[in-house]
Amino acid sequence: MYKVLNNDLIKEYIDGTPQIRSLLLEDNETINKLDVSEIGDGNLNFVYIIKSAKKSFILKQAVPFLRCVGEEYPLSRIRMTFEIEALRIEKEICPSFVPEIYYDSKDMSLVVMQNLDSHKILRGEMINRETFPLLSKHISTFLADTLFYTTDFYLSSAQKKDNVKKFINKELCKITEDFIFTHPYEENKTNEYSPKLDMREVKKFRESLEVKKAVAKMRYKFMTNAQALLHGDLHTGSIMLNKDETYVIDPEFAFYGPIGFDVGIYLANLVMSYFSLEKNENSYRDYVRGMIKDTWDMFASKFKANMLENEKKLKSLQWNYPKGMEHFESYTDDYIKDIFDDSVGFMACEMFRRTVGLAKVADIADIEDLERRARIENKILKCASKLITSKYSQIDEIIDEIERYATF
Ligand code: SR1
Ligand code: MG
């Protein structure tokens, strides 16, 4: 039966659950030998690290409300079931980028997994100006593979539809629909503005026909375009890494949606880190610019390779004629261009919501000089308005645009 755990109840729970007790303790050892601490700083769940002399693991539990708001915002615990199912699929596709799961309980809405104790959260690492030479290679592979091997291009028609049904993640999709695509563009009590933010800038994008129509289009795509199984919340707080390894965590928002959503959310978080840099941080600026470019370029070429390799294997009748592969390649290029356009649109939506919505990014929210913070936020809002209302054909144009708005 479900109950919300705390430091003491976790020990009792482990004592009564042989599958996880045996990971930590010998039969004759007492549960008091365990060290339990809550380390969660996310918006939704509670995360504990549990250590014994021999091992440690992470226990993550969903509670029946939204953690960052409190019990007055009920949220069903089913999100943990989506997280567990998504972790399993992602692990199968990308074993080296997804933590090991040791145990799960849908009744208790919890998962017990690998403690990534030699890894840190990417957002914090970027705030500390750390660099990771393998990150873009790893993340672009995670994106290209999870987002290709869950599409209709790879799965059978029936399997894809079963997956779509399995991942009808109504409540967390509604959170995204509200907090990314709705509330930031209206007067809403959940919005939060930094004290010195120029509210004229907020009014401007909220009352721009072009911006409102473009956001409405992205919202509708998010709700209807079931292309692939998305992570659904791939910001820099959902990645743990060190110089050699990269892990993607927290896929509770997983559902079948537009591929550009995962790509765009990740890129937007790099862009916001870029905007947060000080004038003299030239080399880190080059590094972040390189991350944006490499992530997109490597994602696009790996996704294309997946498409072509798979089509060759299947030799489907549709393209089985002398110029067929050439035509399929051209179709693939068009498909990837659509993903690019979507990624830019979703990137802009994430920039708006992290500036005026409830959930901020520490890269900017932790800037103590409030005048400087507001100046950066104004630039982000202007840049997001431009990105979402313009047409681009390649990533370098996006990077140039961002640079123009960041104006150091
Ligand atoms: C209101 S919940 C805020 C956000 O936390 C998660 O990480 C998602 O990004 C969600 O939109
Ligand atoms: Mg999360």
Side-chain angles (χ1 to χ4, degrees):
M1 207 187 60
Y2 178 80
K3 63 176 148 188
V4 176
L5 296 173
N6 57 32
N7 286 19
D8 294 328
L9 289 174
I10 278 188
K11 289 190 184 176
E12 265 176 42
Y13 179 73
I14 292 173
D15 213 14
T17 313
Q19 300 95 314
I20 46 178
R21 190 187 199 285
S22 61
L23 292 173
L24 297 165
L25 298 166
E26 303 303 332
D27 290 350
N28 58 354
E29 279 183 304
T30 136
I31 208 75
N32 294 329
K33 295 223 161 173
L34 294 182
D35 183 52
V36 177
S37 47
E38 212 277 316
I39 53 154
D41 61 355
N43 292 323
L44 277 78
N45 303 303
F46 287 80
V47 181
Y48 299 88
I49 175 159
I50 296 139
K51 291 183 183 162
S52 70
K54 92 169 173 188
K55 196 174 168 72
S56 65
F57 59 57
I58 294 292
L59 186 151
K60 178 172 177 183
Q61 187 182 38
V63 290
F65 54 88
L66 186 61
R67 180 180 184 169
C68 66
V69 178
E71 294 189 33
E72 68 271 25
Y73 194 121
L75 193 64
S76 77
R77 298 178 281 111
I78 186 98
R79 64 185 182 275
M80 183 50 74
T81 302
F82 292 112
E83 174 156 354
I84 293 164
E85 297 295 337
L87 280 169
R88 291 200 188 291
I89 292 178
E90 290 171 354
K91 181 84 185 158
E92 211 178 309
I93 299 174
C94 287
S96 52
F97 302 137
V98 181
E100 206 75 56
I101 299 187
Y102 302 132
Y103 178 78
D104 69 74
S105 165
K106 290 179 182 154
D107 292 339
M108 282 292 287
S109 303
L110 64 80
V111 63
V112 171
M113 57 191 166
Q114 184 181 356
N115 178 20
L116 299 168
D117 54 356
S118 58
H119 305 76
K120 290 187 174 152
I121 295 281
L122 173 57
R123 188 180 308 286
E125 293 297 88
M126 290 190 77
I127 291 171
N128 293 332
R129 310 300 188 243
E130 293 290 340
T131 58
F132 298 92
L134 297 175
L135 170 61
S136 300
K137 184 171 162 218
H138 290 168
I139 283 298
S140 58
T141 307
F142 177 86
L143 287 165
D145 288 352
T146 57
L147 296 173
F148 172 78
Y149 289 107
T150 56
T151 60
D152 286 286
F153 296 117
Y154 182 74
L155 299 174
S156 72
S157 164
Q159 176 70 65
K160 154 75 185 326
K161 287 171 180 64
D162 285 346
N163 277 10
V164 172
K165 188 161 127 196
K166 187 166 170 185
F167 284 96
I168 298 291
N169 193 349
K170 287 184 212 168
E171 276 181 294
L172 293 209
C173 281
K174 183 73 166 76
I175 288 185
T176 302
E177 289 153 22
D178 288 346
F179 288 92
I180 299 190
F181 297 110
T182 309
H183 300 334
Y185 314 93
E186 63 186 14
E187 290 288 345
N188 188 288
K189 64 178 186 327
T190 66
N191 289 329
E192 277 178 17
Y193 310 100
S194 77
K196 305 273 178 182
L197 184 67
D198 183 352
M199 292 306 286
R200 286 169 306 181
E201 215 46 66
V202 178
K203 187 170 154 62
K204 216 188 267 173
F205 79 79
R206 282 198 182 142
E207 294 181 7
S208 153
L209 171 67
E210 287 74 27
V211 172
K212 294 301 274 269
K213 281 205 296 193
V215 171
K217 281 184 194 161
M218 297 322 295
R219 181 179 196 268
Y220 193 71
K221 273 194 188 177
F222 176 84
M223 295 173 82
T224 58
N225 194 4
Q227 288 179 316
L229 179 63
L230 308 188
H231 175 281
D233 195 24
L234 192 54
H235 54 80
T236 49
S238 297
I239 294 168
M240 290 189 76
L241 79 175
N242 57 29
K243 300 275 178 196
D244 306 311
E245 294 178 317
T246 306
Y247 285 93
V248 178
I249 58 170
D250 284 357
E252 66 219 305
F253 282 79
F255 81 112
Y256 261 79
I259 290 173
F261 184 78
D262 271 0
V263 179
I265 296 295
Y266 177 68
L267 293 179
N269 279 265
L270 301 186
V271 169
M272 289 183 282
S273 159
Y274 187 86
F275 272 91
S276 75
L277 299 176
E278 304 264 9
K279 201 181 174 97
N280 58 357
E281 295 187 274
N282 292 326
S283 68
Y284 207 74
R285 190 168 316 121
D286 289 347
Y287 167 69
V288 180
R289 204 187 290 127
M291 286 172 84
I292 297 169
K293 179 165 171 56
D294 292 348
T295 303
W296 171 262
D297 285 346
M298 290 196 259
F299 162 77
S301 79
K302 287 172 193 172
F303 193 90
K304 181 169 175 175
N306 285 343
M307 291 281 282
L308 297 183
E309 188 194 323
N310 185 63
E311 189 53 37
K312 251 189 217 139
K313 250 193 259 155
L314 290 179
K315 289 194 184 65
S316 77
L317 284 178
Q318 199 188 348
W319 306 99
N320 197 8
Y321 52 91
K323 285 204 155 201
M325 273 316 282
E326 209 181 291
H327 293 179
F328 181 70
E329 188 172 348
S330 169
Y331 165 73
T332 298
D333 289 337
D334 290 355
Y335 190 83
I336 292 173
K337 174 62 172 68
D338 289 344
I339 297 177
F340 175 79
D341 292 343
D342 287 356
S343 303
V344 177
F346 289 125
M347 182 199 290
C349 295
E350 173 77 349
M351 289 162 70
F352 282 127
R353 71 77 72 116
R354 296 289 184 188
T355 308
V356 300
L358 171 70
K360 307 285 190 224
V361 289
D363 318 51
I364 288 161
D366 288 356
I367 294 174
E368 282 170 13
D369 174 349
L370 294 178
E371 300 281 359
R372 179 169 174 261
R373 175 179 167 186
R375 275 198 304 277
I376 293 173
E377 289 173 330
N378 276 350
K379 290 176 190 176
I380 291 178
L381 295 180
K382 284 196 175 101
C383 182
S385 300
K386 180 76 167 93
L387 289 172
I388 206 165
T389 54
S390 309
K391 289 267 165 275
Y392 304 92
S393 45
Q394 29 188 323
I395 194 70
D396 298 289
E397 295 167 14
I398 303 295
I399 295 169
D400 288 348
E401 196 79 285
I402 288 159
E403 215 163 307
R404 261 196 292 281
Y405 280 86
T407 56
F408 293 98

